[in-house]
Amino acid sequence: MSKNEEVTPLDFIRQTIANDVAAGKNQGRVVTRFPPEPNGFLHIGHAKSICLNFGVAGEYPGGQCNLRFDDTNPLKEEDQYIQSIRTDVKWLGFDWQEHLYYASGYFEQLYQFAERLIQDGHAFICELNVEQMREYRGTLTEAGRASPWRDRPMAESLELFRRMRAGAFPEGRYTLRAKIDMASPNINMRDPVIYRILHAHHHQTDDQWCIYPTYDYAHCISDALEEITHSLCTLEFEDHRPLYDWILDRLEGVVSCHPQQIEFSRLVLEYTVVSKRKLNALVRSGVVDGWDDPRMPTISGLRRRGYTPAAIREFCRRIGISKTPNNVELSLLESCIRDDLEQHAPRAMAVLDPLKVVITTIAPDHCEELSASNHPQNPELGSRTLYWTQEIIIERDDFAENPPKQFKRLVPGGEVRLRHAYVIRCDEIIKDPNSGAIIELRCSHDPSTLHANPADRKVKGVIHWLPLHRSQPAEIRCYETLFNTANPDEAWQGDDFTRLINPNSLQILSHCRIEEGLQNLPAGTIYQFERQGYFCVDSRYSRTDHPVFNRTVGLRDTWGKQQNKSS
RNA sequence: UGGGCCGUCGCCAAGCGGUAAGGCCCCGGAUUUUGAUUCCGGUAUCCCCAGGUUCGAAUCCUGGCGGCCCAGCCA
């Protein structure tokens, strides 16, 4: 490999898997799974897991990644989430092929295995209620006490378990517990509940069941039944691995596969929260207009904002996989979307805050067709026609009556180039006699400057513009971070999060103008509005007679940065 | 202060006993009809700290310090 080739080193999980494959473990197969619970929308943190699981599987011939809904708690889950999760995973560019599964699809087997555990003396029916169980569990520093039902005869537990399934008892009356070790320093091993009674309708199994397995019990067995080779999950499940292994060890001979669980640290992204509870609170409070609000870190929010699957995948590649507690800067995400859009987004012009300019050197009925390329580096994106007319508009802050140092735009008596058009000189400022506000500029143009720079002088600035009458009105929505603090998760206390909300997170500019031809684009279409940023047609509010664009991300702005520093 | 895990540049992150990759951010400079892009160049004598082993340690050992996770019949 040559020196200047970029080499992405394997993360520790990929190293482990590569070693396993090389050693012929699992007959060299690589099978992973992405196991969301259908109780909410997928977010950027899930994207990390999706990219890892599907990504790794895709790196091996015959590699496979299952999409499995971890639907063991009917109280929290809904079918609509299943649909949105499928949509989002596909949109991200991944394919589970025929491997779509549900933990609920294994309920019968799970039940049979539970009977087996009881028969083997590894599980018992307990009658402690929630409070009692908490008491018996002990604390982090003190061992727990055995349940009085721990030594219930096997046959009695089995009988009770069967009656539980038959619906003979109310919720909470009994639980099935694994018989492990109440003195374990690992609280997960203190006889954890593996089945509970829930008289609830399940979105997949209807009313077939009134007992449901817990995550710890169902997850490892589901993995094993699917012959997962590497079960990748986040760090908070590290303490559950002994239980994962314990259950599969007890079922050896009945379940032939024992996947290896490996944990990695979950994504923490500046200025965002991803807990379902908090995301939900934002939606319910009306601070955002739904799960797909462009300020939300959900996949659907990012999509509506204009983020591309490729950019999100690249982001996940760049953040890497490790066990280090992390706090990724937003600038990394932004860099990924800029890199993608820089190459692919066609260019156009839009004026967000118009200032009228009259070109005094051409006739009122003058309309000249100018050709403008759609991408400075990629001619394949073609070109379009711009109309050079007497009345045009420019961005209000591209003119300064009293310019700051280094200002390269239009100033009284100064010249500036209009992008794809001529060099103009500002000859006169028209102000509102009452307010003193600038309402119009009168400029002359230099006809020799269309595709050439003047020979005798240097014009340093280039600004964007639009013909007043041959442009269209549009609404443009500019976003900032939803929160005013980089670590909203820490700052979030109780449910009073309103003080954490950035009042400028959404700015609606309703008097913008865009090029003709941009008012009837399909939702999601992305353009770069030159000198400003990347914008995409909003999927909820945009209509032909009222185009709405979302600013995905601004262009890198060294001038603005400089200004901020000096002010 | 029970158990588990983690500590390498502002933020991610390689490194696996042979003398600190890369990306993002940042700072210079060149090119530019986007103050964009692109392009060059700069940015850890040091790897949480202290000892030790070794010809040689970010990597091994010992002891500290700091951070995260766990006491749901959630996942």
Side-chain angles (χ1 to χ4, degrees):
Chain A
M1 203 167 284
S2 78
K3 236 185 188 166
N4 42 11
E5 234 173 286
E6 197 179 308
V7 182
T8 306
L10 296 183
D11 56 70
F12 79 100
I13 289 179
R14 274 180 246 254
Q15 285 178 29
T16 301
I17 293 176
N19 291 340
D20 288 348
V21 169
K25 197 171 167 186
N26 308 305
Q27 298 85 238
R29 288 177 312 117
V30 174
V31 185
T32 58
R33 99 271 93 115
F34 173 60
E37 182 187 16
N39 69 343
F41 289 81
L42 258 27
H43 54 67
I44 186 75
H46 291 113
K48 177 177 180 178
S49 174
I50 292 168
C51 289
L52 206 218
N53 280 293
F54 282 94
V56 152
E59 286 156 24
Y60 290 90
Q64 170 187 326
C65 180
N66 302 349
L67 173 60
R68 179 174 74 236
F69 289 100
D70 221 334
D71 55 350
T72 56
N73 186 352
L75 266 22
K76 295 192 170 178
E77 298 152 8
E78 289 174 39
D79 196 64
Q80 57 149 327
Y81 295 127
I82 289 177
Q83 301 316 319
S84 80
I85 289 168
R86 296 175 61 153
T87 300
D88 289 346
V89 174
K90 269 192 204 153
W91 179 79
L92 278 172
F94 298 103
D95 183 4
W96 54 85
Q97 298 172 316
E98 71 271 34
H99 305 292
L100 173 66
Y101 304 114
Y102 294 83
S104 57
Y106 308 130
F107 279 173
E108 182 60 37
Q109 291 167 89
L110 257 7
Y111 174 84
Q112 295 302 334
F113 295 148
E115 283 206 352
R116 177 59 175 263
L117 288 181
I118 296 170
Q119 285 163 338
D120 290 349
H122 296 314
F124 65 97
I125 295 296
C126 183
E127 295 181 32
L128 257 24
N129 64 32
V130 176
E131 300 75 51
Q132 293 168 320
M133 206 175 294
R134 187 180 306 133
E135 238 173 78
Y136 274 80
R137 186 154 35 226
T139 69
L140 294 178
T141 51
E142 304 158 37
R145 291 140 53 212
S147 160
W149 317 101
R150 196 172 201 264
D151 293 316
R152 188 196 290 278
M154 179 271 281
E156 198 179 306
S157 279
L158 192 58
E159 168 68 11
L160 250 12
F161 189 48
R162 288 175 176 165
R163 290 175 62 202
M164 274 169 66
R165 174 180 185 169
F169 310 114
E171 288 184 11
R173 178 74 182 81
Y174 295 107
T175 56
L176 179 66
R177 295 228 257 163
K179 193 188 288 187
I180 310 181
D181 177 9
M182 287 308 290
S184 172
N186 181 346
I187 291 186
N188 294 300
M189 301 298 271
R190 317 240 263 229
D191 292 6
V193 169
I194 59 177
Y195 262 94
R196 73 283 213 194
I197 299 171
L198 249 30
H199 290 281
H201 180 84
H202 188 284
H203 50 98
Q204 300 304 312
T205 58
D206 296 322
D207 299 313
Q208 243 180 284
W209 295 87
C210 61
I211 58 172
Y212 291 93
T214 58
Y215 162 85
D216 284 310
Y217 178 70
H219 197 85
C220 55
I221 296 176
S222 302
D223 279 349
L225 292 174
E226 292 175 19
E227 301 193 291
I228 299 299
T229 57
H230 302 272
S231 179
L232 314 179
C233 61
T234 44
L235 250 26
E236 63 271 29
F237 292 104
E238 217 153 17
D239 288 342
H240 294 244
R241 179 156 29 98
L243 180 50
Y244 185 107
D245 291 332
W246 184 91
I247 292 170
L248 292 183
D249 284 345
R250 295 319 107 170
L251 259 17
E252 212 177 75
V254 192
V255 178
S256 57
C257 174
H258 191 141
Q260 178 184 5
Q261 174 176 306
I262 309 176
E263 310 85 9
F264 60 95
S265 56
R266 68 188 312 156
L267 170 68
V268 179
L269 222 208
E270 274 189 348
Y271 294 99
T272 72
V273 296
V274 291
S275 99
K276 275 162 192 161
R277 196 190 112 247
K278 290 173 183 172
L279 256 18
N280 225 309
L282 290 169
V283 173
R284 277 197 316 265
S285 69
V287 165
V288 294
D289 76 358
W291 287 88
D292 65 344
D293 185 288
R295 293 164 292 179
M296 292 282 271
T298 49
I299 302 300
S300 52
L302 289 163
R303 176 165 59 228
R304 189 167 154 210
R305 175 79 169 255
Y307 272 80
T308 60
I312 295 173
R313 279 187 252 117
E314 174 62 10
F315 173 70
C316 293
R317 190 190 70 76
R318 290 192 201 176
I319 58 176
I321 297 292
S322 72
K323 301 185 74 159
T324 317
N326 60 79
N327 190 2
V328 177
E329 291 177 341
L330 220 45
S331 62
L332 185 61
L333 216 210
E334 292 179 341
S335 163
C336 293
I337 186 62
R338 284 198 191 104
D339 280 2
D340 186 13
L341 266 21
E342 156 63 26
Q343 300 174 56
H344 304 294
R347 313 288 134 114
M349 292 194 285
V351 176
L352 306 198
D353 184 11
L355 173 61
K356 184 177 169 187
V357 174
V358 175
I359 308 298
T360 56
T361 42
I362 59 176
D365 60 349
H366 186 88
C367 183
E368 182 181 343
E369 297 192 357
L370 306 175
S371 171
S373 63
N374 290 335
H375 190 112
Q377 277 85 238
N378 184 0
E380 280 174 26
L381 287 180
S383 61
R384 81 255 185 216
T385 299
L386 261 22
Y387 301 95
W388 174 240
T389 61
Q390 191 192 44
E391 293 189 320
I392 65 168
I393 48 173
I394 64 169
E395 205 68 62
R396 186 166 284 276
D397 60 359
D398 280 340
F399 173 77
E401 196 173 7
N402 302 299
K405 285 251 177 305
Q406 311 286 322
F407 193 75
K408 311 203 304 199
R409 309 173 188 183
L410 195 58
V411 299
E415 284 187 313
V416 76
R417 171 172 294 281
L418 295 178
R419 178 76 166 146
H420 298 302
Y422 297 93
V423 170
I424 60 169
R425 173 189 306 280
C426 175
D427 302 314
E428 195 183 338
I429 304 171
I430 312 289
K431 293 185 178 173
D432 182 289
N434 298 318
S435 67
I438 298 169
I439 52 176
E440 183 181 312
L441 262 25
R442 304 232 156 197
C443 298
S444 49
H445 84 296
D446 179 343
S448 73
T449 55
L450 184 52
H451 294 300
N453 282 321
D456 57 335
R457 59 196 195 278
K458 197 92 182 159
V459 177
K460 34 185 195 338
V462 181
I463 64 173
H464 57 276
W465 61 284
L466 244 25
L468 177 56
H469 302 292
R470 299 213 61 176
S471 57
Q472 296 287 329
E475 174 181 311
I476 293 181
R477 298 175 162 229
C478 292
Y479 302 98
E480 288 180 8
T481 56
L482 222 204
F483 296 98
N484 55 25
T485 164
N487 300 303
D489 243 319
E490 286 175 19
W492 189 300
Q493 259 145 36
D495 261 333
D496 173 33
F497 56 85
T498 47
R499 72 201 157 80
L500 304 177
I501 300 295
N502 172 4
N504 297 320
S505 66
L506 166 64
Q507 296 145 46
I508 299 180
L509 309 175
S510 27
H511 303 292
C512 311
R513 300 201 59 95
I514 54 177
E515 285 183 30
E516 277 185 352
L518 262 45
Q519 74 273 37
N520 192 19
L521 266 11
T525 307
I526 301 178
Y527 271 84
Q528 181 195 101
F529 291 156
E530 291 203 65
R531 302 210 308 130
Q532 303 191 111
Y534 299 96
F535 296 81
C536 102
V537 178
D538 186 71
S539 55
R540 181 171 310 181
Y541 301 118
S542 196
R543 299 189 313 263
T544 299
D545 60 342
H546 182 72
V548 177
F549 285 83
N550 294 316
R551 184 174 69 190
T552 307
V553 66
L555 254 29
R556 206 167 261 116
D557 182 13
T558 49
W559 169 244
K561 229 173 266 165
Q562 244 178 76
Q563 292 299 99
N564 283 339
K565 255 186 254 167
S566 53
S567 67

